Amino acid sequence: YASVTVGSVSPPTASIAPTAPICVGGSVTLTCNAPGATSYLWSGAAPVGGSTTPAVTINSLTAANNGTYSVVASNGGCPSAPANYALNVNPNPALTGPTATPNPVCSGSNTQLNALATVSGYAVAPIAYAPVSGTGIAGPVGDDVVGGPYTIPFPFTFYGTSFTAAYVSTNGFMMLGANGGAGCCSGQVFPDATAPNNVVALAWEDLNTGDGGNIDYFSLTSPNRFVVRFNNVARYQFSSIPGAAVNGQIILYQDGTIELHMASITTGPADLTTQGVENGTGTMATVVSGRNNTTWSAANEAYRFTPNQASYLWSGGTFQGGIDNIANPIGTNVTGITTYTVLATALTGCTSTGNV
């Protein structure tokens, strides 16, 4: 008789890690982490699609590079499940100025410097889980239902536009200003120009209060807040996991800050769920890493979305009081020709510079 020995090879587990910051005009390298992998195949827009290296780089970034990039890593012919990364290119600060007044100046005199940097969008960071409580007013009920308009009791600025009305979808998100639809039946890959837009998503997927749970909303003061609460809202027919549900809060602050607090969110293998914010045209978004149309779970977690703002750093001369990190320092003891440079840095790490 004859015998043969058959070995087995385990497929690798793949993930994608980007370099940072990811800014207009810059570059990003996407690296596939897949221990044991011997080959790679990327998909997505050029220049990524078709690449066979562990890492790929996109140069001269623009918003046109936004989208999902995937890679399959193989070991001995055994492929991994696709690893996905949703790329979102952040804008640089729009810099007005800088200016110097007066200019020119008498030798040894001072000059008032000014610059203004405006930045669109949000920066996101984890915070301590601290849900709030209040007397809830019943929100939407059912499957693929939108409730509203619900009054926000203060002007809430979102991507530069002020809103006083909100709509809530039973599918785990809210919209500012207008009803863009219920968003059936999975979370979009942010950003996406397809409606709905002007979205704050706690856990956008296919949910149904008819299978369990409820949605309510309420307002709080000191500080002023508007809260939308998903109370154990079931995934449609519980997805592939019995009892899969969303239990968490969206909190809007009057200063434009947004917080998401999650007691528990569970997903099944097919529950492609999105968590983040998206602007009114679907061209800008900020998402929690790894939660952009993917499967994920959370327990006792929270994230804060802070309206993007810029910090300043001046160089090129001396400054009154040694203060060189504000928008309008005073340049002192100007002699000869002096060039002042300002570096404006957004919370995302994207920068712009200007000279006077």
Side-chain angles (χ1 to χ4, degrees):
Y1 66 91
S3 64
V4 61
T5 300
V6 178
S8 64
V9 176
S10 297
T13 299
S15 62
I16 298 174
T19 54
I22 301 172
C23 307
V24 169
S27 63
V28 63
T29 297
L30 305 178
T31 300
C32 176
N33 296 318
T38 55
S39 64
Y40 308 84
L41 180 61
W42 291 82
S43 59
V48 173
S51 295
T52 57
T53 55
V56 292
T57 299
I58 308 172
N59 295 309
S60 302
L61 289 167
T62 70
N65 297 117
N66 289 341
T68 300
Y69 298 87
S70 303
V71 63
V72 172
S74 298
N75 177 19
C78 298
S80 69
N84 302 310
Y85 180 75
L87 180 67
N88 182 40
V89 180
N90 296 300
N92 298 312
L95 188 61
T96 302
T99 62
T101 306
N103 184 14
V105 300
C106 297
S107 181
S109 298
N110 298 343
T111 186
Q112 176 67 65
L113 303 170
N114 279 284
L116 175 63
T118 56
V119 194
S120 300
Y122 290 80
V124 62
I127 58 173
Y129 173 66
V132 297
S133 59
T135 302
I137 302 170
V141 176
D143 180 31
D144 300 330
V145 174
V146 174
Y150 304 130
T151 298
I152 302 172
F154 49 81
F156 178 75
T157 300
F158 187 66
Y159 284 99
T161 301
S162 180
F163 297 97
T164 56
Y167 292 82
V168 177
S169 169
T170 55
N171 286 325
F173 64 90
M174 68 182 295
M175 298 163 281
L176 281 305
N179 179 359
C184 182
C185 290
S186 64
Q188 283 183 347
V189 177
F190 280 175
D192 189 325
T194 306
N197 301 119
N198 271 336
V199 168
V200 180
L202 174 69
W204 179 357
E205 213 262 335
D206 194 9
L207 311 181
N208 182 7
T209 64
D211 289 326
N214 63 80
I215 302 166
D216 60 8
Y217 66 96
F218 55 91
S219 299
L220 298 171
T221 58
S222 299
N224 291 335
R225 287 155 290 170
F226 178 77
V227 184
V228 177
R229 187 166 54 185
F230 289 78
N231 304 300
N232 287 312
V233 178
R235 293 185 183 270
Y236 181 74
Q237 296 182 343
F238 294 117
S239 180
S240 57
I241 297 179
V246 171
N247 187 14
Q249 302 177 347
I250 300 172
I251 306 175
L252 308 184
Y253 286 77
Q254 188 170 2
D255 67 0
T257 300
I258 301 166
E259 291 182 0
L260 305 179
H261 292 261
M262 297 150 278
S264 61
I265 294 177
T266 52
T267 62
D271 295 332
L272 299 177
T273 306
T274 297
Q275 184 173 78
V277 299
E278 182 191 61
N279 72 349
T281 56
T283 54
M284 291 183 63
T286 300
V287 296
V288 175
S289 179
R291 297 181 180 179
N292 198 357
N293 186 245
T294 58
T295 58
W296 51 271
S297 296
N300 297 331
E301 294 182 15
Y303 287 88
R304 176 178 293 136
F305 293 78
T306 303
N308 233 330
Q309 52 190 313
S311 60
Y312 301 87
L313 183 62
W314 292 80
S315 60
T318 57
F319 302 92
Q320 190 172 81
I323 298 173
D324 60 1
N325 59 353
I326 58 176
N328 56 342
I330 295 176
T332 59
N333 193 29
V334 180
T335 57
I337 297 175
T338 301
T339 299
Y340 293 93
T341 300
V342 61
L343 173 69
T345 304
L347 293 175
T348 55
C350 299
T351 62
S352 294
T353 60
N355 302 298
V356 61

